Amino acid sequence: MAECRFYKVETRHIESREIRADRQRDITTVRLPWCRHPKHSPVPREIATGTIGGAHHLKCEGSLAKCPLGREQFDDVE
């Protein structure tokens, strides 16, 4: 479970364009992690969900020990 209160994850289901012989399409579930910090978000929702490779930008996985923000930035929410 994520420790950080700003860590959020969206999921998207992407249907393959390939049609198999049985007429079924594969569906892939993609996790899109993003940071909802109001001032210093390293990966805002728009980047995580709207750019190619956006799901791979936020490396902290919700762990405060891996947070790319310094303590001053993290606490600066007003």
Side-chain angles (χ1 to χ4, degrees):
M1 182 172 194
E3 303 167 354
C4 179
R5 66 181 187 256
F6 301 118
Y7 181 76
K8 297 293 177 192
V9 177
E10 286 190 28
T11 56
R12 293 250 172 104
H13 303 288
I14 301 172
E15 187 174 6
S16 170
R17 293 179 186 237
E18 177 184 352
I19 299 175
R20 299 186 318 222
D22 60 1
R23 296 293 192 222
Q24 298 294 317
R25 293 186 178 190
D26 290 329
I27 296 177
T28 303
T29 302
V30 179
R31 297 184 48 177
L32 303 167
W34 58 283
C35 177
R36 69 175 183 94
H37 192 284
K39 283 185 157 180
H40 306 290
S41 175
V43 182
R45 183 175 183 264
E46 297 79 26
I47 298 296
T49 62
T51 61
I52 295 174
H56 304 291
H57 290 302
L58 193 60
K59 303 292 185 190
C60 68
E61 300 174 351
S63 171
L64 294 176
K66 297 179 187 177
C67 183
L69 300 178
R71 177 55 54 193
E72 300 80 29
Q73 289 178 316
F74 187 83
D75 292 336
D76 182 22
V77 293
E78 295 177 42

